[in-house]
Amino acid sequence: MALVSRLGEGLPEWTDPDAVVEAARQWLAGYFTPEQDHPGAVFVAEGEGEVVGVVSVNTRRHFTGSMEAYIGELAVAPHTARTGLGRRLLSTAEAWAREQGVSQMTLETAASNTTARRFYAGAGYREEAIRFTRALDQPV
Ligand SMILES: CC(C)(COP(=O)(O)OP(=O)(O)OC[C@H]1O[C@@H](n2cnc3c(N)ncnc32)[C@H](O)[C@@H]1OP(=O)(O)O)[C@@H](O)C(=O)NCCC(=O)NCCS
């Protein structure tokens, strides 16, 4: 849960990072709520007795209609950056997805999160959709 605070990084300036982190915490907590009968998985990386990386993965219906896997949260401890941990967690989530019988992995990240965009592009992910947003209390 401590690592989820990293999901407040790289957000657009009009987004409240505290709200994003709190929402991510609730999503992650949902994986550990038995009554939700959650079909997804959470994998952690351990180093020297502490959790240094986390990834959550689940399945859902892609907008084309077929089932896909998607990454909910992925974060590593800052002191492990660029040591390959993120890539290993991603590979672990992909292996889980294959076990579920789905052939596609999807995820969303902030357009302004250049680190994540480089990371995913380097791992073979292509940009699929663009999401538009507008504050309705602002003039056009
Ligand atoms: C994105 C994140 C998970 C990457 O984890 P990581 O363990 O540092 O990444 P890896 O060491 O596996 O990097 C693999 C490749 O991704 C790319 N990459 C990773 N970080 C990068 C950066 N800051 N700048 C440019 N490329 C980067 C590189 O190609 C890298 O390979 P290289 O180090 O051999 O050049 C990590 O930066 C993080 O936790 N960020 C905060 C949370 C977040 O934004 N999560 C993604 C949104 S869901």
Side-chain angles (χ1 to χ4, degrees):
M1 284 294 178
L3 293 174
V4 170
S5 64
R6 293 214 65 195
L7 297 175
E9 297 175 18
L11 296 170
E13 62 196 24
W14 60 86
T15 305
D16 177 1
D18 293 339
V20 172
V21 169
E22 181 52 33
R25 285 212 170 94
Q26 289 179 19
W27 279 113
L28 199 54
Y31 284 80
F32 299 97
T33 308
E35 61 268 24
Q36 288 199 7
D37 192 24
H38 218 287
V42 176
F43 298 97
V44 297
E46 278 185 44
E48 297 177 3
E50 61 168 347
V51 173
V52 290
V54 63
V55 63
S56 64
V57 57
N58 210 332
T59 55
R60 69 179 179 191
R61 197 164 293 282
H62 186 258
F63 63 71
T64 57
S66 59
M67 289 303 288
E68 64 173 5
Y70 72 95
I71 303 273
E73 291 78 30
L74 170 62
V76 303
H79 70 270
T80 71
R82 302 295 288 267
T83 61
L85 196 52
R87 188 69 74 82
R88 287 178 64 188
L89 285 161
L90 188 57
S91 297
T92 302
E94 291 171 347
W96 178 88
R98 286 189 196 94
E99 285 170 14
Q100 309 311 304
V102 298
S103 57
Q104 180 164 300
M105 178 75 87
T106 301
L107 59 96
E108 291 167 27
T109 196
S112 51
N113 191 342
T114 51
T115 296
R117 290 177 68 167
R118 286 177 185 147
F119 169 78
Y120 289 120
Y125 286 71
R126 292 180 293 166
E127 296 184 4
E128 180 179 55
I130 297 175
R131 194 172 67 184
F132 290 94
T133 188
R134 162 168 136 67
L136 295 176
D137 57 354
Q138 303 285 322
V140 175

